[in-house]
């Protein structure tokens, strides 16, 4: 039988979405898939963070070794000794400067020669 509610004719039965077992199963499967994806993302995030931590720890160790080396150099210099590494650096810098100056002079000579040619 037809019902009249508020001036509108209504048919008997339910209206709108019908919650079926299929919908419930699909919803559960979507939920499971979402949980699997969430766990995978979490695992990747933790792997990335662990790699980041280990690389920072390696960098810290390298910096500590470098700092210790500089401390040893300073202690040696306080005793009036010049470490061989510093001597090598100083002589290397002096040689490098001399080579740079000679290269600059050579370039300047070439540019002057080129500019004098018409």
């Amino acid at each position: 039988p037809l019902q009249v509610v508020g001036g509108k004719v209504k048919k008997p039965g339910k209206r709108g979405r019908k919650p079926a077992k299929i919908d419930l199963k699909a919803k559960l499967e979507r939920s499971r898939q979402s949980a699997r994806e969430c766990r995978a993302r979490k695992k990747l995030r933790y792997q990335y963070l662990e790699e980041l931590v280990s690389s920072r720890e390696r960098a810290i160790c390298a910096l500590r070794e470098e700092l210790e080396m500089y401390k040893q150099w300073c202690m040696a210099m306080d005793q009036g000794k010049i470490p061989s590494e510093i001597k090598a650096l100083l002589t290397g810098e002096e040689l490098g400067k001399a080579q740079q100056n000679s290269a600059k002079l050579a370039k300047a000579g070439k540019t002057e020669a080129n500019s004098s040619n018409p």
Side-chain angles (χ1 to χ4, degrees), residues 38-106:
C38 180
R39 286 190 295 271
R41 283 192 304 271
K42 183 178 179 181
K43 185 178 178 182
L44 283 173
R45 186 168 51 250
Y46 273 85
Q47 284 175 347
Y48 166 74
L49 290 173
E50 285 173 0
E51 289 172 12
L52 196 63
V53 166
S54 65
S55 71
R56 298 289 162 89
E57 285 174 346
R58 285 191 301 272
I60 288 169
C61 287
L63 288 169
R64 282 194 175 133
E65 288 175 8
E66 189 178 350
L67 179 62
E68 190 59 36
M69 178 183 68
Y70 292 140
K71 284 181 182 178
Q72 295 295 326
W73 289 3
C74 290
M75 286 170 51
M77 286 191 286
D78 287 345
Q79 295 172 358
K81 301 173 187 173
I82 300 176
S84 58
E85 297 91 349
I86 293 179
K87 286 181 184 176
L89 284 173
L90 292 172
T91 56
E93 283 180 14
E94 290 169 6
L95 290 174
K97 287 179 183 175
Q99 288 173 350
Q100 287 175 356
N101 288 339
S102 63
K104 286 179 185 176
L105 290 173

Side-chain angles (χ1 to χ4, degrees), residues 23-36:
D23 288 347
L24 184 61
K25 287 180 182 178
K27 184 176 179 182
L28 283 172
E29 185 53 40
R30 282 195 307 271
S31 175
R32 288 186 191 114
Q33 181 63 30
S34 177
R36 278 192 290 270

